[in-house]
Amino acid sequence: MSNRKILVTSALPYANGPIHLGHMLEYLQTDMWVRFQKQRGHVCHYVCADDTHGTPIMLKADSLGITPEELIAQVGKEHLADFTAFGVAFDNYHSTHSEENKYFSSLIYTRNREAGHISSRTITQAYDPVKEMFLPDRFIKGECPKCGAADQYGDGCEVCGANYASSELKNAVSAISGEKPIDKESVHYFFNLADFTEMLSDWTTAGHLQPEVRNKLAEWLDGGLQQWDISRDAPYFGFEIPDAPNKYFYVWLDAPIGYLASFKNLCDKKGLDFDEFWAKDSKTELYHFIGKDIIYFHALFFPAMLQGADFRTPSAIFAHGFLTVNGEKMSKSRGTFITARTYLDHLNPEYLRYYFAAKLSAGVDDLDLNFDDFSQRVNSDLVGKVVNIASRCSGFIAKRFNNRLSAEFAEPELWAEFMATNEIIAEFYENREFAKAMREIMALADKANRYIDEKKPWLIAKEEGKEAELQAVCTVGLNLFRVLAAYLKPVVPTLSYSAEVFLNSEVHGWIDELEPLLDHQLNDFIPLMTRVEPDKIAAIIEASKENLEKTVAPVVKEKQFAPIADTIDITDFGKLDLRIAKILKAEAVEGADKLLHLTVDIGDETRSIFAGIKSAYSPEQLEGRLTLVVANLAPRKMRFGLSEGMVLAAGDGNGIYLLSPDAGAVAGMRVK
């Protein structure tokens, strides 16, 4: 097995809030894969950084009365503390607000500009005359032009689900100053993504992406690539664009470049060769672990920018799904929007590491943290199967044999079976099929426990003259436990380390070279892991609810329900043509914070509908689902295209929920 040279990144957490368990899914998945590569003996560097630029950072710092630099410094420390407590072992954790990132952002921009991939033009935007800044749609609020609900954002209504341009809001005001916005022109800079259509078509079909991601990118490529607005006007917290005073790089330009910056920072500290990993002709491996909601940036924009600036492109991008809790999106009102720190205050982080591993596949499906399942798996697998082997055997070895193992191994065939599984488990780890790896490991744990059950050392201990047999049985059990702990090392490193301390033997490298510990002195056994206690989970949920009460402003409660509209009679209602519709395709709308573009089958035809439900659903969650639509709503021209109907949804201020029919309904069925 030849040594590989690998550079791995996780997406950069945004520096305006705490790390939550949805974030941790990605970092734990990445960390487990990196730990496996290192255990196999490969050179593997894992870098990350805080994503620190943009309007939200600037405004939050202003509201706190501190500078953006002070805010990101504090948040960066908190992020790293949470990651460290969960056992995420970065080789370097940096910041996008760094000299390295400023250098590479400017370099990549200027190289693309010189190659003709940057253009500029004048656009018109909403402008806050008091704060003297341009306003993204999310910073404009007003009354919904459809239902009249107050305090709605500039790109869609959270109450009735209507979509509209911010200019259509009634009594629109800046969410920052409360002043009525005005229209103002500004010169913006654009990255000509379409210049790379052929390159991206080749790259996205060359094995760098998961099949479902590749298919989604094919749709975007077939629809034609648009120019990407990469500039923002002052005031803006970020890097000023070279030769463009008062113009700043949009945060999404310099965020992925933070991967290069963090690695360069590591190179300078450790004497590594930066070009070996990032030069265009690099023979090393480069992998990005990301969430499925940022595929567009990582699999289109970033490879194109790198190509245009003569850097290498990624070997592969590994996307994962979202985390749900007890079957639903994380919810503050239900106490399931759980921060990493709240979890750490109550539970062992290795419980979550194992639970995620037991459910993670190489695909982009969402993963559910079901607390009943969580408790059962951890208690059954880690405590009841793995740790239990050490507990059952260690007492006899300590009391009868002064913590010394037998000089011979009594079950060579069983040992060979444990060893022979190593390449299967390694292949599962390599391909990010963590759940399959855990099933193989737990199957071995079952075999080890069956061996102990069959030999019954507790009965042997009561018989005279069977000391050697007792020592031999427990020696086999503890050596099998050692193999299991080694297999689990990428997932539960602290548990594995504690096992190594007890066994008085560190496992170096992968399992294929392991030999049984014989005539070997152990250390005293101490409990390695306790069971999950239900009251700890209840405390986490309760603490998360308490967080909500401390942080949510009363205005949120006021806008949970829309005012009741004027009454209508049955004749008015009869005018509505309500249909069961099947969602054939769902995709994000570039430039819209809340919109999804749905293609729906209403029985006799397909329709194109823009729906303001992006905050509640990812496109992958919707495709193939049945919902209700108003089929005879007059088509409406929007800046993103023509919307030919309306999907029906309900909202309570905390979330948006599509209305769905009972089982048995089919596309085209009229609602009576």
Side-chain angles (χ1 to χ4, degrees):
M1 181 178 62
S2 61
N3 284 356
R4 296 151 57 188
K5 291 189 175 182
I6 308 169
L7 175 58
V8 181
T9 76
S10 296
L12 313 185
Y14 201 45
N16 70 335
I19 300 298
H20 56 68
L21 296 193
H23 292 127
M24 288 311 308
L25 174 63
E26 177 171 312
Y27 302 98
L28 293 180
Q29 179 191 33
T30 316
D31 181 73
M32 290 186 286
W33 196 77
V34 168
R35 285 178 181 271
F36 165 73
Q37 299 298 345
K38 292 182 176 182
Q39 194 171 344
R40 291 283 271 182
H42 302 310
V43 174
C44 187
H45 306 292
Y46 179 21
V47 301
C48 195
D50 260 20
D51 181 7
T52 59
H53 290 154
T55 303
I57 298 287
M58 179 180 72
L59 294 176
K60 181 169 185 178
D62 185 57
S63 71
L64 295 173
I66 59 178
T67 66
E69 289 84 358
E70 291 172 320
L71 172 64
I72 63 176
Q74 178 60 37
V75 171
K77 290 178 184 176
E78 294 168 359
H79 284 181
L80 187 55
D82 289 347
F83 289 138
T84 302
F86 267 101
V88 180
F90 300 113
D91 291 286
N92 197 49
Y93 194 79
H94 204 36
S95 167
T96 59
H97 193 64
S98 65
E99 286 303 313
E100 296 94 343
N101 204 37
K102 183 177 183 180
Y103 169 79
F104 283 113
S105 297
S106 297
L107 179 66
I108 288 173
Y109 168 80
T110 52
R111 284 184 178 178
N112 275 286
R113 183 186 65 189
E114 290 164 4
H117 303 309
I118 305 293
S119 59
S120 64
R121 68 175 185 270
T122 299
I123 65 171
T124 301
Q125 295 175 278
Y127 184 80
D128 185 326
V130 174
K131 294 295 288 186
E132 297 184 334
M133 62 180 291
F134 288 95
L135 297 169
D137 285 344
R138 74 182 67 180
F139 291 109
I140 304 171
K141 286 191 174 184
E143 297 169 10
C144 172
K146 302 301 179 185
C147 73
D151 201 30
Q152 297 305 305
Y153 289 101
D155 54 0
C157 178
E158 292 182 347
V159 176
C160 73
N163 304 306
Y164 42 75
S166 59
S167 59
E168 296 179 76
L169 276 175
K170 297 178 181 177
N171 301 315
V173 296
S174 164
I176 304 168
S177 71
E179 187 70 18
K180 180 179 179 180
I182 61 174
D183 289 337
K184 188 172 181 178
E185 291 185 342
S186 174
V187 173
H188 271 229
Y189 293 83
F190 295 84
F191 178 64
N192 301 327
L193 187 60
D195 293 354
F196 299 88
T197 300
E198 183 177 352
M199 169 259 166
L200 290 170
S201 296
D202 293 339
W203 186 83
T204 56
T205 56
H208 304 293
L209 305 168
Q210 296 136 297
E212 48 273 71
V213 173
R214 182 183 66 239
N215 295 339
K216 176 55 66 177
L217 289 174
E219 294 177 18
W220 287 332
L221 285 161
D222 290 345
L225 299 175
Q226 306 299 311
Q227 286 188 319
W228 179 35
D229 189 342
I230 58 170
S231 68
R232 293 296 184 266
D233 293 277
Y236 191 82
F237 184 57
F239 295 136
E240 197 169 41
I241 298 175
D243 308 314
N246 294 318
K247 304 291 181 180
Y248 290 81
F249 287 128
Y250 175 42
V251 61
W252 261 111
L253 180 132
D254 71 61
I257 295 172
Y259 302 143
L260 287 80
S262 185
F263 184 63
K264 182 63 166 69
N265 182 259
L266 177 65
C267 290
D268 291 344
K269 289 191 286 191
K270 300 291 186 180
L272 304 176
D273 184 352
F274 177 87
D275 290 337
E276 183 181 14
F277 286 84
W278 283 103
K280 196 166 187 120
D281 59 354
S282 172
K283 298 296 188 281
T284 61
E285 302 171 50
L286 171 63
Y287 300 106
H288 302 305
F289 284 76
I290 63 166
K292 64 184 178 182
D293 55 328
I294 54 175
I295 287 169
Y296 203 100
F297 292 103
H298 280 80
L300 291 179
F301 292 137
F302 192 44
M305 284 196 303
L306 291 170
Q307 176 82 6
D310 289 325
F311 285 102
R312 60 92 48 87
T313 52
S315 304
I317 294 173
F318 302 136
H320 60 82
F322 298 135
L323 179 71
T324 57
V325 177
N326 290 339
E328 299 180 354
K329 284 193 65 177
M330 288 198 294
S331 163
K332 290 182 178 177
S333 63
R334 296 176 189 272
T336 53
F337 189 93
I338 301 165
T339 66
R341 184 51 52 181
T342 299
Y343 176 98
L344 291 166
D345 286 342
H346 299 278
L347 286 177
N348 183 338
E350 298 220 323
Y351 294 162
L352 191 68
R353 290 182 67 103
Y354 177 75
Y355 186 73
F356 281 167
K359 301 196 76 173
L360 271 167
S361 72
V364 295
D365 295 331
D366 292 346
L367 187 153
D368 184 49
L369 169 56
N370 178 285
F371 279 123
D372 291 337
D373 183 44
F374 171 86
S375 300
Q376 190 276 330
R377 281 188 192 243
V378 171
N379 292 342
S380 171
D381 292 358
L382 286 184
V383 180
K385 293 181 180 180
V386 178
V387 171
N388 190 46
I389 298 169
S391 301
R392 300 172 84 183
C393 297
S394 59
F396 296 116
I397 292 291
K399 293 174 185 175
R400 301 288 189 94
F401 310 104
N402 292 318
N403 273 331
R404 196 153 194 93
L405 298 178
S406 294
E408 296 181 2
F409 195 81
E411 300 289 339
E413 290 184 4
L414 188 56
W415 177 264
E417 190 176 346
F418 270 57
M419 290 294 101
T421 316
N422 89 84
E423 282 306 319
I424 296 171
I425 293 172
E427 184 177 356
F428 285 145
Y429 270 129
E430 176 67 40
N431 294 323
R432 308 177 323 286
E433 294 285 3
F434 294 106
K436 292 180 180 178
M438 297 307 103
R439 284 196 290 272
E440 288 289 336
I441 295 168
M442 290 307 143
L444 293 177
D446 287 336
K447 289 179 181 178
N449 279 293
R450 277 198 299 273
Y451 169 78
I452 296 170
D453 289 339
E454 290 167 2
K455 295 297 182 180
K456 298 181 174 56
W458 54 92
L459 295 182
I460 298 174
K462 296 178 181 178
E463 299 183 37
E464 290 187 17
K466 291 200 173 183
E467 294 294 299
E469 183 180 350
L470 176 63
Q471 188 181 21
V473 168
C474 293
T475 294
V476 170
L478 290 172
N479 270 286
L480 297 181
F481 165 71
R482 180 177 182 237
V483 177
L484 296 171
Y487 278 136
L488 287 168
K489 200 169 185 177
V491 176
V492 283
T494 300
L495 173 62
S496 295
Y497 173 75
S498 299
E500 291 173 352
V501 171
F502 156 59
L503 295 167
N504 194 24
S505 176
E506 186 176 356
V507 175
H508 296 283
W510 190 237
I511 292 83
D512 51 355
E513 298 179 359
L514 219 56
E515 295 289 342
L517 298 175
L518 301 173
D519 193 23
H520 178 79
Q521 188 69 37
L522 305 181
N523 290 314
D524 288 336
F525 178 79
I526 57 173
L528 299 173
M529 181 173 280
T530 58
R531 296 170 62 84
V532 178
E533 299 173 14
D535 62 321
K536 300 292 188 182
I537 292 174
I540 287 173
I541 294 175
E542 190 57 36
S544 300
K545 287 180 179 177
E546 190 175 327
N547 266 347
L548 174 72
E549 291 166 2
K550 289 178 180 177
T551 58
V552 172
V555 68
V556 173
K557 296 181 179 178
E558 292 173 3
K559 70 166 191 170
Q560 284 185 343
F561 302 102
I564 295 176
D566 295 337
T567 56
I568 61 172
D569 59 27
I570 193 64
T571 304
D572 294 320
F573 184 75
K575 296 177 183 178
L576 293 176
D577 181 1
L578 299 179
R579 301 271 192 99
I580 305 298
K582 182 175 183 179
I583 301 174
L584 302 176
K585 187 166 72 169
E587 54 192 339
V589 179
E590 186 179 353
D593 292 334
K594 300 184 181 180
L595 287 183
L596 290 178
H597 180 209
L598 308 180
T599 301
V600 302
D601 176 7
I602 62 169
D604 50 3
E605 62 177 301
T606 59
R607 296 280 185 86
S608 174
I609 297 176
F610 291 90
I613 55 175
K614 185 177 179 181
S615 61
Y617 299 95
S618 66
E620 292 81 1
Q621 291 175 290
L622 296 173
E623 292 182 358
R625 176 173 175 161
L626 294 178
T627 189
L628 278 70
V629 303
V630 182
N632 62 336
L633 187 68
R636 179 161 164 270
K637 178 68 175 173
M638 304 176 66
R639 60 187 169 121
F640 306 105
L642 189 69
S643 188
E644 303 170 308
M646 177 185 289
V647 296
L648 299 185
D652 62 358
N654 296 310
I656 300 170
Y657 310 93
L658 276 187
L659 303 188
S660 299
D662 286 341
V666 296
M669 183 182 287
R670 279 191 163 83
V671 180
K672 302 295 186 182

